[in-house]
Amino acid sequence: MRETERRAAAAYAERFGEEPEIVASAPGRVNLIGEHTDYNGGFVLPCAVDRRVAVAAGHAYGGGLLASADFGQVKSLRDGPEWEKSESWADYPRGVAWAMGIEQPFRAVFSGDVPRGAGLSSSAAIEAATALALDALLGLEKDRKELAIACREAENGFVGVQSGIMDQYASLLCEEGSALFIDCRSLEAETVPFDPGSAGLTLLVCDTNVHHAHTDSGYNDRKQTCEDAARTLGVEELRDATEEDLEKLEGQELKRARHIVTENARVLEAADALRTQDYAELGRLMYASHTSMRDDFEISVPEIDTFVDLAREAGATGARLTGGGFGGCAIALVDLDEVEAISEDARRTFAERGFREPEFYEFLPAAGAEVTKRREGERREQP
Ligand code: GLA
């Protein structure tokens, strides 16, 4: 078991005096390219990172319970007949149980090491871990795509963020050593090998420590403008819009739609570049994507722009904001031996500009969600 899984299992055993029936975990993700395209029916290219949320779960007799081993908190699952809601981490597992239509009480203890609010999808990781654990605990045998759809439903209908499917899909379907090319309309996904190390490169992630919650960022607002632009154009989703269509738009609708139309094209090209291991081309597309997010979609912040500019000046192959924006993380595809210099340069420049101290991670494309332990022996039936 991984460290996070061991922690969740040990905290479960300590609290309930018996081993958990199921231990599962799910990763966060970085998105290589394709931002805000998912809820427009478009394309994305994320990969899972080796940071995870683990859950130890079992049946409950009486009311269900959710506990966080990291925060030392215990929350109830329901408030009488209603689902409890508390604007906290516990809303994600509650939302998943709600979206999966689960009536049985269960208890679950969580532990994770995905940085929170950093744009690395800690929320999708907790959702995906919960969904997989409940599926195994209750023997539902739903496929990963169905679980991902339920997790998005939790986010949209319970937590209240109108997110697309990318993060949940990545967390449940990514494979080690690969990125996942997803058509967010058909929900077809293709595993594309991604091994930057073979070209002497690594994926450096800069967490600006400008953290956000998409419930109060401009996220839902961006989605609304995209829908308005699609309506103005008379298309179902911006996925269906072309560059020529853009001439019919103006103002914010034009800027937002221009990002989506060009970004979709870039993801298709980036997937091709990855298939042929053309990292120079992938990097070029990453920079272009960043410019489009900064100027047209307007979701970047000075900290992210500073890092991307520094990476470019240092000769990085590519760099861009990753995730929903309004803070969070940037990624850069850099030479293995440039990592130290770029990180140091960014730390110094951030300090000079009065920004928060950034944190850096190097991730290898990691495995998606997994059930890592099932308790031996027969399952106890509910009384
Ligand atoms: C967040 C959402 C995703 C996606 C990205 C932006 O991570 O959860 O669905 O929209 O932002 O690409």
Side-chain angles (χ1 to χ4, degrees), residues 3-66:
E3 181 52 32
T4 46
E5 294 162 348
R6 259 196 298 275
R7 271 208 308 271
Y12 184 102
E14 192 180 325
R15 178 168 294 279
F16 301 119
E18 60 178 25
E19 295 296 310
E21 289 168 66
I22 296 290
V23 178
S25 70
R29 61 96 191 92
V30 290
N31 188 20
L32 297 179
I33 195 161
E35 228 62 78
H36 289 255
T37 42
D38 59 353
Y39 58 76
N40 286 294
F43 307 105
V44 293
L45 192 61
C47 62
V49 297
D50 40 11
R51 294 296 190 97
R52 303 174 81 87
V53 172
V55 57
H59 289 85
Y61 309 97
L65 272 189
L66 302 168

Side-chain angles (χ1 to χ4, degrees), residues 117-120 206-212 301 304 321-322 325-330:
L120 297 173
C206 169
D207 178 356
T208 60
N209 273 318
V210 179
H211 287 180
H212 63 274
V301 293
I304 300 263
L321 178 160
T322 189
F326 307 100
C329 287

